Amino acid sequence: MSESDHPEWLSLDPDEEVVWIGRPAVETLYGTIATGFVLTLVLIGFLVLLGVPFSYYRIQNTDYVVTTQSLYVKTGVFSTNIETVDIDRIQNTEYSRSFWGKQFDYGTISISTAGSSGAEISFSGIPDAPAVRDHITDLQRTRSGRGRGDDGTRGADAGGDADTPPASADQVAELIAEVRATREAFERIERHFTEAAESGDWSGVETGSSPDESDGSDGESDA
């Protein structure tokens, strides 16, 4: 199966391209076969060996696909199950290799997403697993780089406004001053209501002015 083609079960978006296609290595069966032969001495090995053909068909019906947008896992011998994870959602990738994996050069990549309690999907027993993991990491960086400009700010295609410059220091200082003035105004109003409640004089509250302002307004009325 070449990387230029894609399986029939895979439906790609117009701008989506296949980066890598693979499946579990047949070598993953070697450990099972060796264990089965060892356990034939206690008869359990025959049961292990009977499961080898089914494991082989399972491998042949498993596909792993990496595209520029998502990761796909297709499994199933008698039925088909397809799992997918978007590149943008990937939080972490882990690479592991068993004893037999070290002997026959295959490993497992576990992919987790933000908010997931464990691995979302796994590429199990694939040859040259570190290189595949590097492909996924590069795709993550490429996808995240599209949402940021050269200066590290978010671009318009990532939900930001590329035409709007960042706020200057003077603008920030002016905003802080306005917030502080608003807070002081609320504090004066609170003191006004407290004094009115203690004295029982609500005349200033009825006119909507503070005690200091009421004196000035009375003077203007008299004039």
Side-chain angles (χ1 to χ4, degrees):
M1 184 180 297
S2 63
E3 293 184 4
S4 59
D5 300 327
H6 62 271
E8 295 180 356
W9 56 265
L10 182 60
S11 178
L12 300 177
D13 291 337
D15 57 344
E16 186 175 10
E17 298 179 359
V18 174
V19 176
W20 175 85
I21 298 176
R23 60 172 45 131
V26 178
E27 288 81 1
T28 57
L29 298 177
Y30 293 172
T32 302
I33 294 173
T35 302
F37 278 119
V38 171
L39 293 179
T40 52
L41 300 176
V42 291
L43 301 179
I44 299 178
F46 290 107
L47 298 177
V48 176
L49 293 175
L50 287 175
V52 171
F54 179 79
S55 297
Y56 176 79
Y57 282 115
R58 179 181 55 81
I59 290 175
Q60 295 302 311
N61 286 275
T62 298
D63 288 326
Y64 303 132
V65 179
V66 178
T67 72
T68 52
Q69 296 183 12
S70 304
L71 309 182
Y72 299 87
V73 175
K74 194 272 290 184
T75 57
V77 176
F78 303 107
S79 61
T80 300
N81 180 53
I82 300 174
E83 299 175 280
T84 180
V85 167
D86 292 338
I87 296 291
D88 295 337
R89 293 184 56 224
I90 296 177
Q91 182 76 15
N92 187 41
T93 58
E94 295 183 359
Y95 165 69
S96 60
R97 190 164 61 170
S98 64
F99 169 79
W100 294 108
K102 293 180 180 179
Q103 311 309 311
F104 299 105
D105 193 24
Y106 63 81
T108 295
I109 302 175
S110 300
I111 297 98
S112 58
T113 59
S116 61
S117 58
E120 188 82 8
I121 61 174
S122 297
F123 291 177
S124 302
I126 58 174
D128 202 12
V132 178
R133 184 187 184 189
D134 290 341
H135 274 310
I136 297 173
T137 301
D138 290 341
L139 288 170
Q140 283 183 274
R141 293 172 179 171
T142 301
R143 297 285 294 181
S144 60
R146 291 179 182 176
R148 296 186 178 276
D150 295 336
D151 59 352
T153 58
R154 287 180 61 86
D157 59 341
D161 189 351
D163 297 331
T164 302
S168 64
D170 293 340
Q171 290 174 326
V172 174
E174 183 179 354
L175 179 60
I176 293 175
E178 291 179 0
V179 173
R180 184 181 292 114
T182 302
R183 184 186 64 184
E184 292 175 353
F186 276 108
E187 290 177 351
R188 287 196 300 269
I189 294 173
E190 183 180 2
R191 287 196 302 269
H192 184 195
F193 274 92
T194 301
E195 293 172 357
E198 293 177 352
S199 62
D201 182 8
W202 294 92
S203 59
V205 176
E206 293 174 356
T207 59
S209 60
S210 63
D212 295 337
E213 294 174 344
S214 63
D215 294 341
S217 61
D218 292 342
E220 293 176 358
S221 300
D222 295 340

